[in-house]
């Protein structure tokens, strides 16, 4: 082993402090835990050849004794924090491997199969970045993601484009786009640009974005939950679109905490398409304030949001199996499950099947029992 005390793949120094962690080829998935920062004596960390996703956490930069770091062979995205690179620049980090050379792989990880679908906005954007952009940026550069996301939004626009994909200019010099002093996009104003399709989830990699105006377009679908994770976002304008559903609870939490100071959606008018308890332009009383919601009201709202991610808006069609199943989960199911329960998804899917097959007309119409565990339902 390495050091005085050893476990399999783990080693400690003579004082019993962990300094060696080798977890390559272990089938681990999820985000790299930020809690690694407490292993302050760590000198060797190998998380390669797993299924980690998300970003490289900033907390790794606090491991000042780290000499070997292996993160390659995962599905990590985004830019390596500058503070981590500083460890390498100061010659403390002698060996550092990550997936930073394959642009097409990075875009595939970010957008999934959408980047391969013919004529999709992701495929068009990837083609431009990889083959037409004269400022061709490497996968380790923040510019790759910024130019790719902006290209996606460009191809969402109608025939008359409202800004130019100028391959000879830095994206910070493009119309309707602004950046901070370090060259990270923090301002996007694409209102009145004839944009179609859903809000792209890829926008979440623009971690420094403070201002986003997509109003007065033809954007459809739900407000994506990824917007709740954009911690720098201060102003968000989405009104006058074809967006439907309920605003993610996380966005309203950030609004109530003062992080977001301006937020508008289509939550007013004769036909209210978006349910929002925190938007600045909503009619008071349309939906309860987040601060005044009871636990049951929050449960119902979270269920509506979760169902939206499962059924992609089908639950908004009156009398659809998804709509009836959601109503049953919220009002008829005596189990009162929450979205954190493993039973929630199971009961919802079983209810969808029940209503899809016309279960109300069955001889045993009580097959979908509001009191029974779903595992005890006959069949």
């Amino acid at each position: 082993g390495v050091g005085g005390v050893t476990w399999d793949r783990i080693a400690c120094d003579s004082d019993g402090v962990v300094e060696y962690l080798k977890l390559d080829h272990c089938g681990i998935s999820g985000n790299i835990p930020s809690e690694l920062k407490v292993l302050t004596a760590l000198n060797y960390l190998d998380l390669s050849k797993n299924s980690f996703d998300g970003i490289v956490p900033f907390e790794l930069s606090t491991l000042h004794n780290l000499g070997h770091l292996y993160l390659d062979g995962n599905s990590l995205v985004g830019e390596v924090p500058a503070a981590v690179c500083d460890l390498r620049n100061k010659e403390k980090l002698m060996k550092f491997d990550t997936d930073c050379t394959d642009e097409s792989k990075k875009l595939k990880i970010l957008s999934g199969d959408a980047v391969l679908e013919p004529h999709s906005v992701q495929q068009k954007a990837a083609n431009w970045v990889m083959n037409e952009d004269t400022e061709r940026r490497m996968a380790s550069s923040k510019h790759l993601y910024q130019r790719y996301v902006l290209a996606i939004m460009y191809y969402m626009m109608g025939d008359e484009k409202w800004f130019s994909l100028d391959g000879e200019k830095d994206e910070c010099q493009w119309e309707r786009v602004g950046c901070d002093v370090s060259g990270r996009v923090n301002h996007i104003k694409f209102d009145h640009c004839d944009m179609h399709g859903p809000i792209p989830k890829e926008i979440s990699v623009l971690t420094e974005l403070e201002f986003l105006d997509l109003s007065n377009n033809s954007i459809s679908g739900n407000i994506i939950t990824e917007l709740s994770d954009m911690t720098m976002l201060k102003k968000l304008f989405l009104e006058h679109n074809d967006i439907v559903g309920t605003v993610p609870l996380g966005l309203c939490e950030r609004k109530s905490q003062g992080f977001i100071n301006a937020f508008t959606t289509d939550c007013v008018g004769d036909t209210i398409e978006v349910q929002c308890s925190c938007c600045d332009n909503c009619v008071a009383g349309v939906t309860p304030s987040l601060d005044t919601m009871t636990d049951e009201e929050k449960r119902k709202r979270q269920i509506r949001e979760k169902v939206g991610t499962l059924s992609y808006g089908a639950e908004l069609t009156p009398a659809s199996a998804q709509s009836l199943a959601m109503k049953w989960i919220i009002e008829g199911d005596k189990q009162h499950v929450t979205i954190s329960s493993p039973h929630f998804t199971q009961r919802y899917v079983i209810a969808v099947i029940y209503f899809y097959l016309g279960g109300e007309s069955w001889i045993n119409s009580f097959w979908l029992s509001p009191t029974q565990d779903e595992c005890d339902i006959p069949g």
Side-chain angles (χ1 to χ4, degrees):
V2 177
V5 184
T6 65
W7 280 356
D8 184 31
R9 293 177 172 267
I10 301 173
C12 302
D13 61 18
S14 57
D15 295 322
V17 180
V18 173
E19 65 174 5
Y20 181 96
L21 194 57
K22 184 173 174 58
L23 299 176
D24 58 305
H25 295 90
C26 286
I28 308 173
S29 60
N31 295 336
I32 296 176
S34 60
E35 291 80 1
L36 285 168
K37 66 184 179 183
V38 304
L39 303 179
T40 55
L42 203 61
N43 174 263
Y44 187 103
L45 177 60
D46 187 353
L47 302 178
S48 65
K49 311 302 187 295
N50 282 292
S51 299
F52 284 110
D53 53 21
I55 62 174
V56 176
F58 170 84
E59 287 78 4
L60 293 182
S61 66
T62 65
L63 300 175
H64 296 296
N65 292 307
L66 198 60
H68 299 263
L69 177 59
Y70 304 96
L71 303 177
D72 52 298
N74 284 289
S75 299
L76 300 170
V77 298
E79 183 181 6
V80 174
V84 174
C85 291
D86 284 345
L87 295 178
R88 186 69 184 272
N89 295 336
K90 295 174 182 177
E91 299 183 350
K92 291 183 177 181
L93 188 59
M94 295 179 291
K95 183 67 175 177
F96 179 27
D97 287 342
T98 187
D99 299 312
C100 57
T101 57
D102 188 348
E103 296 98 322
S104 61
K105 178 181 177 181
K106 288 291 186 179
L107 300 185
K108 174 68 164 55
I109 291 171
L110 185 59
S111 294
D113 291 338
V115 79
L116 304 176
E117 294 176 7
H119 312 300
S120 70
V121 291
Q122 288 85 358
Q123 191 271 336
K124 292 177 181 178
N127 180 69
W128 181 81
V129 167
M130 299 296 297
N131 301 314
E132 300 176 30
D133 186 4
T134 52
E135 281 281 309
R136 177 84 179 275
R137 306 294 183 134
M138 298 301 290
S140 58
S141 167
K142 63 179 178 289
H143 297 280
L144 173 74
Y145 292 100
Q146 293 186 165
R147 294 171 84 81
Y148 175 62
V149 172
L150 292 170
I152 287 176
M153 302 176 82
Y154 171 85
Y155 287 111
M156 288 175 63
M157 298 177 184
D159 293 335
E160 184 179 357
K161 308 300 185 188
W162 294 89
F163 81 103
S164 175
L165 278 182
D166 192 337
E168 296 183 355
K169 287 184 178 180
D170 187 289
E171 64 274 16
C172 296
Q173 298 176 333
W174 292 351
E175 302 97 326
R176 296 175 170 261
V177 177
C179 298
D180 61 19
V181 293
S182 62
R184 290 175 171 84
V185 172
N186 65 358
H187 186 106
I188 294 177
K189 185 172 174 59
F190 287 167
D191 59 302
H192 296 87
C193 287
D194 194 25
M195 297 178 70
H196 294 75
I199 299 172
K201 65 181 181 65
E202 292 86 353
I203 199 172
S204 63
V205 301
L206 303 180
T207 55
E208 301 300 313
L209 194 64
E210 298 179 9
F211 181 101
L212 178 61
D213 187 353
L214 301 179
S215 64
N216 296 279
N217 285 292
S218 298
I219 295 172
S220 56
N222 294 322
I223 297 176
I224 56 175
T225 57
E226 285 83 355
L227 291 176
S228 304
D229 300 324
M230 301 180 72
T231 57
M232 301 301 293
L233 194 61
K234 295 180 175 64
K235 298 183 185 297
L236 177 61
F237 304 107
L238 301 175
E239 76 273 17
H240 303 303
N241 279 290
D242 297 323
I243 297 170
V244 296
T246 302
V247 170
L249 191 59
L251 273 178
C252 281
E253 288 177 344
R254 293 190 58 76
K255 182 72 161 59
S256 67
Q257 293 164 357
F259 296 111
I260 297 176
N261 53 47
F263 181 22
T264 57
T265 60
D266 291 317
C267 52
V268 295
D270 297 333
T271 303
I272 297 173
E273 299 293 343
V274 179
Q275 294 294 311
C276 182
S277 65
C278 63
C279 297
D280 297 315
N281 61 331
C282 293
V283 177
V286 170
T287 54
S289 167
L290 186 65
D291 295 332
T292 61
M293 277 187 183
T294 64
D295 289 342
E296 178 60 14
E297 287 171 335
K298 288 182 180 179
R299 183 186 79 92
K300 291 178 179 179
R301 179 168 177 174
Q302 289 171 337
I303 287 175
R304 293 189 184 97
E305 291 179 9
K306 182 64 175 178
V307 168
T309 67
L310 295 173
S311 296
Y312 303 102
E315 77 282 0
L316 301 175
T317 302
S320 67
Q322 292 84 355
S323 173
L324 295 172
M326 181 175 70
K327 182 177 181 181
W328 179 80
I329 287 283
I330 292 175
E331 301 176 3
D333 187 4
K334 304 305 181 185
Q335 299 282 336
H336 295 288
V337 292
T338 63
I339 62 171
S340 61
S341 167
H343 297 281
F344 168 76
T345 303
Q346 295 180 167
R347 294 179 79 79
Y348 173 67
V349 171
I350 289 173
V352 169
I353 295 171
Y354 172 82
F355 288 111
Y356 182 79
L357 297 176
E360 309 99 309
S361 62
W362 294 351
I363 295 176
N364 184 10
S365 60
F366 297 104
W367 178 84
L368 188 64
S369 172
T371 57
Q372 262 185 316
D373 187 292
E374 65 274 12
C375 296
D376 297 328
I377 294 175

